[in-house]
Amino acid sequence: MTIQTAPLTEAATSHLIRLEVNELDVQVHYNDCGAGAETVVMLHGSGPGATGWANFHRNVDAFVGAGYRVLLLDCLGWGKSDPIVCTGSRSDLNAQTLKALLDALQLDKVHIVGNSMGGHSAVAFALSNPARVGKLILMGGGTGGPSQFVPMPTEGIKLLQGLYREPTIENLKKMMNVFVFDPGSMTEALFQARLDNMLARKDHLENFVKSLAANPRQFPDQGSRLGEITAPTLVIWGRDDRFVPMDVGLRLIWGMPNAELHIFNRCGHWAQWEHADKFNRMTLDFLAH
Ligand SMILES: O=C(O)CCC(=O)/C=C/C=C(\O)C(=O)O
């Protein structure tokens, strides 16, 4: 059953909470949308200016309308969450932050939708908290590590790191140009919102650069442990992903016993935005059956 509701807003769903993560007392921002017996957590990617809302604003209403409670977590180092320099595995750090949030909200089990870094983090969470995962949806991410076909770092990741170092509108447009299949779909308003997000938190940008210098492998290869994840998993990739190549998705379904893969044609690194309607229908069907 689909419930029709007025579109949700970032401001109306915004919450700050204090959590203990890795023995650190930190403030974390999340959006809490809708109400339902089952909760879906959405984890954003690692681009400059990314947030839960920026990554998933085309998806939240559909999930809430289908009767789910949706949590958008801003990872430490993004959005309104506290700054951090991460010298270890950022996938694990995000997984620990998610666990602390779920403990605080007294949520035993959730479904997780992860985009890029969010996918790496969802897998890290499933590895350390298997009983707390219902289903997983991984887009353009799930593990760091090599592509068999594409030199790494990819052109997209090089542009992403360049944008962190020099956060200008020119560099943002260069990155966004290879981010999606059809850059013509990006409006000036979207560029401006993303630039504003980035420049509002220069501390986050500087910390990302420091983190990379301390540990270039922020997202370790989790490939050898994928077989431990038995949660039903839908892996979604863009055929034209120039950030995390599609064969990483093949590694995921090779390793995860209950995973299946959908590849969108004419799609870059942002399947949930570029093909939002079909993405919403497909993922809601996967969660329901
Ligand atoms: O380096 C990786 O493997 C992950 C890269 C990544 O997370 C990029 C994500 C970009 C976005 O989702 C964004 O900028 O919105």
Side-chain angles (χ1 to χ4, degrees):
M1 184 180 64
T2 302
I3 305 158
Q4 290 297 332
T5 52
L8 294 156
T9 64
E10 198 285 323
T13 56
S14 172
H15 296 266
L16 289 166
I17 189 168
R18 292 218 76 86
L19 300 173
E20 192 182 311
V21 179
N22 266 348
E23 298 179 2
L24 290 174
D25 173 39
V26 290
Q27 179 165 263
V28 167
H29 176 262
Y30 66 101
N31 298 91
D32 194 345
C33 311
E38 294 181 47
T39 299
V40 178
V41 175
M42 296 185 176
L43 297 175
H44 62 81
S46 69
T51 62
W53 198 266
N55 272 202
F56 296 108
H57 61 269
R58 289 190 168 180
N59 317 107
V60 175
D61 287 310
F63 279 68
V64 168
Y68 292 98
R69 180 180 181 186
V70 178
L71 299 176
L72 307 177
L73 167 63
D74 288 351
C75 296
L76 289 169
W78 277 272
K80 289 173 259 182
S81 291
D82 269 356
I84 197 157
V85 174
C86 176
T87 58
S89 160
R90 201 181 279 276
S91 313
D92 285 341
L93 173 68
N94 296 339
Q96 287 151 2
T97 310
L98 175 57
K99 177 176 181 303
L101 179 66
L102 299 186
D103 289 348
L105 300 181
Q106 299 183 314
L107 289 166
D108 281 343
K109 199 167 192 166
V110 293
H111 307 298
I112 309 178
V113 178
N115 173 38
S116 198
M117 169 182 80
H120 307 338
S121 309
V123 164
F125 181 85
L127 287 172
S128 46
N129 306 278
R132 299 188 73 169
V133 177
K135 293 184 179 178
L136 291 173
I137 297 167
L138 309 173
M139 299 98 68
T143 180
S147 159
Q148 303 303 309
F149 304 111
V150 179
M152 290 177 118
T154 56
E155 58 175 333
I157 295 296
K158 282 186 188 167
L159 290 171
L160 177 151
Q161 294 180 359
L163 180 57
Y164 269 107
R165 294 194 178 94
E166 281 182 56
T168 62
I169 185 76
E170 292 76 24
N171 284 346
L172 174 64
K173 287 186 175 175
K174 270 189 207 157
M175 186 192 93
M176 290 308 214
N177 191 42
V178 306
F179 193 54
V180 294
F181 174 77
D182 175 14
S185 62
M186 310 225 109
T187 60
E188 284 302 318
L190 192 133
F191 287 131
Q192 195 56 50
R194 194 62 190 246
L195 188 69
D196 292 346
N197 266 4
M198 280 164 43
L199 297 180
R201 293 302 301 260
K202 287 202 173 145
D203 54 341
H204 287 338
L205 307 183
E206 288 159 13
N207 285 341
F208 190 90
V209 174
K210 285 181 196 161
S211 303
L212 267 184
N215 175 22
R217 291 179 190 240
Q218 293 279 303
F219 307 114
D221 191 345
Q222 306 180 109
S224 65
R225 294 193 60 198
L226 291 174
E228 295 171 37
I229 300 178
T230 54
T233 301
L234 175 59
V235 179
I236 296 177
W237 231 271
R239 182 200 63 181
D240 312 286
D241 191 329
R242 291 153 82 177
F243 278 67
V244 183
M246 198 191 71
D247 65 288
V248 176
L250 293 174
R251 284 181 66 209
L252 293 177
I253 56 161
W254 178 256
M256 298 169 82
N258 293 315
E260 59 195 85
L261 172 66
H262 180 91
I263 299 170
F264 276 106
N265 202 344
R266 302 170 68 82
C267 179
H269 192 52
W270 236 17
Q272 82 282 4
W273 189 89
E274 297 182 69
H275 292 270
D277 288 344
K278 186 159 185 193
F279 174 90
N280 292 339
R281 285 197 303 276
M282 203 167 62
T283 50
L284 286 170
D285 182 68
F286 172 72
L287 289 182
H289 298 103

